Every structure is written in structure tokens, then in C-alpha cells.
Amino acid sequence: MSYVLGQRIYLHQPYKSRKMSTQGSSGEQEVVEGVICQEDELPKEGMKAFELDGQKVLVVHHQGQLSAIGSKCSHYGAPLEKGSLCEGRVRCPFHGACFSVTTGDIEDFPGLDSIPTYDIEVAEGQVKVRAKKSLLTSGKRIKTMAKRDPENPASYVIIGGGGAGASCAETLRQEGFTGRVILINQESNLPYDRPKLSKLMDSTPDKLKLRSEDFYEDGDIEVLLGVSADGVSTEEKVVHLSTGDKVSYDKLFIATGGKPRRLDIPGGQLPEVFVVRSPEDANAVAAAAAQKRVVVVGTSFIGMEAAAYMASNDRAASVTVIGSSSVPFENSLGQVVGKRIQEMFEEKGVKFVNQAGVVEFTETDGKLSGVSLNSGETVEADMVVLGVGVVPNTEFLASSSIPRNERGYIPVTETLETSVPGVFCGGDIAAYPLFLEDGEQVAIGHWQVALGHGHTAALNMTGQSVPFKSVPFFWTMFLGKSIRYTGYGKYDDVIIGGDLDSLSFIAYYCRGDKVVAVASLGRDPAAANYADMLQQGKSLTKQEVLDDGEIALKLKC
């Protein structure tokens, strides 16, 4: 038997005469090693986790190559053993992040860190692994970043401190860029994990931040907090700041994200009407909701996650959700799945008013007292949380030569470059060509997409000409349940596999004979499997799903 380790093939031979792979073994840190299993316990083609020094190591046998890598996703620690293995990458079952099985590098998102690789060898029927103890314990690996070279006059500027901006900044350094990297962030917080805002509404900015202040200092990344861009002059290559200062750039990445929509109706500016976009917003909602009558307007993911937070642990006296559709998530997840989700919430005491429009927020003695609907009904309320979507934060570009479409989004190429050379754009404000839909320009406000945009833009800012080719993958979590969704596209039919009533199901979204997307709850790694299938340019047919509603669990690369 033989295995490929790195680029070398080692034949089965006695251990004493065999060298171990050198990947990940440099440095003077403490090293642990030991036999983790017998040779006949190795997967023939697949993944299996084994223990070393009280920690898990994931052994992968794939395409004739044997490797040992970190066992947990660097995002939220999901067990990679339960994920999907395809084309040299393991995909996280929870949120779709992908890691190379040979280098451990993160190749698709969410998350920012890579995972460790360990030395592995097979000799005399035993499988032995050697690892740096620090990497084995942490399970994460930060890629080496270049330092600023004062002799390099180039300046790359990033507008926006969300996921896309943060990912771009550190990728520039990881790719060896030694000029100035300037990150302009209108918020007063370092970049943070935005998806948690509506799920853990009492989390502080410090608990949510993606990287520490020391990280940015060590990477020579200049972070301007509490500063926004008021305009961009592409002719002069200058960004005008809210402070009155100007910053010159050689290349520019714009990722200013969205702004929460507010309702332009009477009472819309009352202090008891909240939106959720920052930690301060979320904290204010959490504090104000205590034993109050809360009304959530909008059945978006943010709205429903906020409703779930306030309905849990008796945080609010009551929670009512007002939506314009017949059930929550009707457009994204379909009527049948949306109805079952609504029932989940109703079991927790949440009330719903569907197919309703809000016409006024009424007040008594200067305070919010109710929400008036177009039906004539008024829902009593002490506070309101709006979850009615976002609009692209691109008005500051109105006088620039950077084009925007009729909805305010910025069209970009597959390399995320705008029509202005050297100016790139990503995240929620970018309309980019989606390979799944034959290059149709789409704007997708998902965290995974934003992080991927930042990474890909940085690669192209450093001259690598890499197209953005990632399958959209998003998730929501409420009331102890998490739904994964992968794919994209309008659908005309939904087929349910599994048991919707017991909340263990796979939903297949079909357009004609093609399955364009999959959502799952309690059926991992169905979504991860299908994301890999879509990544390869393949898809399931409607008939295949009708024949076997569990087929997404059985897919192999």
C-alpha cells in the first residue's frame, strides 16, 4: 500500500527507516506525537477523527493522499468529520467553510482562520501523528502576514469595516503586500461578527470582534474608527473623509454594506422604534425589551432572530410579529417550511399578524403605544423592532465616476473590479456575476459571500486575476434550531424530504427539472453535500429528489 504525503509517495515500510512529512513541523515549539490508530482503521476514501494527546485529529484519505488536519472548523468549531469531502477540500457541515486537506488553508468562508496540518505516517501497521501542541490545542492557524515596508509607496484603501473589509485587509497582508493598508470604518468598533447581532443581542462589541487591536497593529493595518467616507474622486485617486481629511489610494476596495430600512410613516422616528445594525443597536433592543410588549415588523432573518431572542427566557412580556407575506420566509424558504417555522414560534408564545401592512406607530404622552395596520387593527406595543430589509450604503458615491445601478448597487466583474480600473467592490453593495446563474448580476447580503468577496478582491488587487466562484451558503438560528441553505435562484416547486413536523427535513427548491437550492434542518451534511455538487457545476433533478427525499445526504464527490 502507498500514500501520498504532500508531493512525495512513501511506500509501506518499517517505521525506523521512514521519514515523516515535514509539513507543519518547523519551529521550536513543544511537539507531541503518538500512534492514533491501526492502519486497518483508516478510511478507504473519506475522513475519520482520532485522538492525540486529548485532542482530535482529522485523518483524510482522499484521491490517494493521506493527510492529518485540524478536526474543527475555525469558524464556530463544528466537527469537520461530519462535513463533506470533495476535490481536495473538506466543507464544514454547519456553515459551509472549506479547508484544503493538504495545506489546511481556508478556501471558502465564513471564518477567517485556517486550520493546522500535522505530520502523519504509516509504518508496521500503525498510524502515527506528530503535531505542535499549541496548534493541536487551538485547532486554528493564522496565516503569516507581511509587514509594512516604508520603501513601498503604494497605498491600498478599504472603505468599510464589515466582513468584506476585514477579510480584504488581512488577505492583502497574507498575500505579501507591503504597502500601506488603510481600513476606514464608520463604526467605533473593530470589525465584528455581524450575524450574531440578532441572535445574541446582549453581546458586547469586545465579545463579537473578529480580531484584536494587537492583530491589526502586528499586521501594520491602519484602522480608522468612527470615520466615514464622504466621497471618492477616482480622477485624483482620493477618498474624502468625514473628518475633512483626504486619503490617497493606488487601489481601492469599497464594502460599505447596507443601512437598515426605516418606515416613512407617522411615528417612524419615535425613540421606541429600533433597528439592528450595530452592537449598540442590539444592546439597546435587549435592554429595552425587558418585560415589554414587543412588536417586530418584518419577517426577515434579522426580524425573526430578534423575535426568537426576545421570546426566549421570558425576556419580553409578549412578542408579536407583523409580516406582509402569508407566513415567515415565504419568498426564501417557501410556504410549507415557513408555516412550520411559524408554528415553532407560536409554541413559544409568539403571535403573528400576517399579510398586513403598517401605516402608523401611535403614541400616547409622547411614547409609543401601538402599531396601526392597514386592516384598521392596532396592536398594542411598548417598543418596535424593524426587520424590513436594508438599502445599499452607496449614496456617498453619487458624485463619483463609479457607476451604480437603479437600486444603488455597484456592478462588478467576476474579479470584483468596477468599471473604474483599480477600484473594487464587495459585500452587500456589490452586484456581481453569479456563476450558478450563467453570470446573472446578483446582490447577496450573506456573511459568507462578504468574507469571500473581501478575500477575492485582495487577491486581484495584488494582481492575481482570480474569479469569485463560490456557492452561496447561509444559515439562521432561532429557538435552538438552525437552518442551513445553499444555492440560489427563483423556484417554482418545493419538495420536502424527511419529516417537517419533527423538524428533521431537507427542502429541495426546484425550477423546472433542476434543484437550484437546498435547505435543511437536523439533516447535516445535506446542505454541505449539495454546495459541493453545485460547486462542480452539477445539480440534482426534480425526479431524483422525488425518488429519494434523502438523496442530499448520500451525495459523494
Side-chain angles (χ1 to χ4, degrees):
M1 180 179 295
S2 65
Y3 299 97
V4 178
L5 297 178
Q7 297 300 313
R8 310 176 193 172
I9 297 178
Y10 291 92
L11 297 178
H12 193 185
Q13 54 185 299
Y15 169 68
K16 63 181 180 180
S17 63
R18 171 135 171 244
K19 293 182 179 180
M20 297 184 76
S21 162
T22 58
Q23 65 178 18
S25 61
S26 62
E28 299 299 325
Q29 300 179 41
E30 181 183 355
V31 172
V32 296
E33 59 182 295
V35 174
I36 60 169
C37 68
Q38 299 302 304
E39 185 175 0
D40 58 9
E41 296 178 76
L42 289 173
K44 303 304 180 186
E45 170 68 22
M47 307 178 289
K48 189 173 181 179
F50 299 94
E51 188 170 306
L52 174 66
D53 197 45
Q55 305 293 330
K56 293 287 188 179
V57 170
L58 185 65
V59 176
V60 183
H61 187 197
H62 183 52
Q63 298 176 340
Q65 180 169 310
L66 190 68
S67 54
I69 59 176
S71 67
K72 295 180 180 180
C73 178
S74 64
H75 181 225
Y76 289 163
L80 294 176
E81 181 183 21
K82 298 183 181 299
S84 176
L85 177 63
C86 185
E87 295 187 329
R89 306 195 308 181
V90 57
R91 185 184 293 269
C92 173
F94 285 9
H95 307 132
C98 295
F99 304 89
S100 166
V101 299
T102 55
T103 67
D105 288 352
I106 188 166
E107 294 185 347
D108 206 343
F109 301 84
L112 291 170
D113 293 328
S114 296
I115 58 176
T117 57
Y118 310 120
D119 299 331
I120 184 170
E121 69 171 6
V122 180
E124 299 179 340
Q126 294 184 324
V127 181
K128 190 172 185 179
V129 168
R130 180 193 296 140
K132 291 180 182 178
K133 188 174 181 65
S134 59
L135 290 176
L136 186 64
T137 302
S138 70
K140 296 181 180 182
R141 176 175 58 83
I142 298 177
K143 295 179 72 173
T144 301
M145 297 197 295
K147 302 291 286 185
R148 168 88 168 91
D149 179 359
E151 300 300 316
N152 186 344
S155 180
Y156 287 4
V157 174
I158 300 162
I159 306 176
S167 177
C168 182
E170 58 184 81
T171 301
L172 287 173
R173 287 292 188 233
Q174 290 167 359
E175 293 301 310
F177 177 67
T178 59
R180 292 183 71 189
V181 176
I182 304 170
L183 178 66
I184 301 167
N185 187 4
Q186 68 177 1
E187 293 192 39
S188 58
N189 306 304
L190 289 172
Y192 55 84
D193 193 345
R194 193 181 300 278
K196 286 185 176 179
L197 287 183
S198 50
K199 302 175 180 71
L200 302 169
M201 304 189 76
D202 57 352
S203 291
T204 62
D206 191 58
K207 290 181 179 179
L208 294 173
K209 65 186 178 185
L210 298 172
R211 301 294 196 192
S212 67
E213 185 175 342
D214 288 343
F215 174 88
Y216 292 107
E217 289 182 358
D218 291 343
D220 288 332
I221 297 169
E222 302 171 50
V223 182
L224 307 183
L225 296 179
V227 178
S228 60
D230 283 352
V232 174
S233 171
T234 57
E235 294 78 13
E236 300 177 52
K237 289 193 171 183
V238 164
V239 178
H240 298 270
L241 304 180
S242 57
T243 58
D245 298 318
K246 295 188 294 185
V247 175
S248 297
Y249 67 85
D250 291 281
K251 291 186 181 178
L252 178 66
F253 180 59
I254 306 172
T256 44
K259 295 188 298 185
R261 285 188 62 236
R262 283 191 171 269
L263 298 180
D264 186 17
I265 59 175
Q269 298 303 316
L270 286 169
E272 296 86 7
V273 178
F274 295 85
V275 294
V276 180
R277 185 63 183 177
S278 69
E280 291 77 15
D281 293 337
N283 293 171
V285 169
Q291 299 308 304
K292 298 290 179 60
R293 298 169 300 177
V294 179
V295 170
V296 175
V297 178
T299 53
S300 66
F301 288 95
I302 286 179
M304 292 294 287
E305 288 169 0
Y309 175 86
M310 291 180 286
S312 301
N313 300 319
D314 297 320
R315 291 187 175 99
S318 66
V319 178
T320 302
V321 178
I322 299 171
S324 59
S325 56
S326 63
V327 293
F329 307 125
E330 183 171 16
N331 293 333
S332 55
L333 299 179
Q335 208 277 338
V336 174
V337 174
K339 182 175 183 294
R340 182 65 187 92
I341 292 173
Q342 178 172 321
E343 292 169 354
M344 282 176 58
F345 278 74
E346 289 173 336
E347 290 164 6
K348 293 293 184 180
V350 178
K351 298 177 181 178
F352 284 83
V353 182
N354 295 320
Q355 295 179 299
V358 176
V359 296
E360 182 180 3
F361 297 123
T362 59
E363 58 181 293
T364 301
D365 297 328
K367 291 188 176 181
L368 177 79
S369 59
V371 180
S372 296
L373 308 180
N374 53 6
S375 64
E377 177 187 0
T378 296
V379 179
E380 294 183 340
D382 300 310
M383 64 175 289
V384 166
V385 179
L386 296 177
V388 291
V390 298
V391 295
N393 184 19
T394 58
E395 294 96 331
F396 73 99
L397 297 172
S399 61
S400 79
S401 60
I402 302 169
R404 298 178 295 157
N405 65 20
E406 66 280 358
R407 298 175 59 202
Y409 296 94
I410 301 173
V412 296
T413 66
E414 64 178 1
T415 61
L416 301 177
E417 192 168 18
T418 70
S419 60
V420 180
V423 176
F424 297 77
C425 175
D428 296 3
I429 63 172
Y432 72 97
L434 180 63
F435 80 100
L436 293 179
E437 293 290 301
D438 296 322
E440 176 188 342
Q441 292 274 341
V442 301
I444 299 178
H446 298 167
W447 187 242
Q448 169 249 357
V449 170
L451 292 171
H453 277 179
H455 177 77
T456 301
L459 298 181
N460 293 310
M461 291 167 78
T462 55
Q464 298 185 49
S465 190
V466 177
F468 181 72
K469 187 179 178 183
S470 175
V471 176
F473 197 114
F474 76 85
W475 68 96
T476 185
M477 186 168 187
F478 36 66
L479 306 177
K481 303 292 183 181
S482 185
I483 295 177
R484 341 276 191 205
Y485 178 101
T486 189
Y488 182 86
K490 296 179 181 178
Y491 59 90
D492 51 45
D493 196 9
V494 183
I495 300 170
I496 306 295
D499 190 344
L500 188 63
D501 289 340
S502 65
L503 297 172
S504 179
F505 67 88
I506 307 169
Y508 301 88
Y509 298 87
C510 305
R511 183 171 66 228
D513 189 47
K514 179 181 179 180
V515 177
V516 297
V518 160
S520 71
L521 197 164
R523 304 299 285 162
D524 293 331
N529 286 347
Y530 201 56
D532 278 337
M533 189 175 197
L534 292 172
Q535 189 75 54
Q536 297 175 82
K538 304 174 184 178
S539 61
L540 289 170
T541 66
K542 187 174 184 178
Q543 189 58 53
E544 286 176 313
V545 171
L546 289 170
D547 291 342
D548 183 359
E550 301 284 283
I551 191 171
L553 285 172
K554 305 168 185 176
L555 296 174
K556 298 295 182 182
C557 181

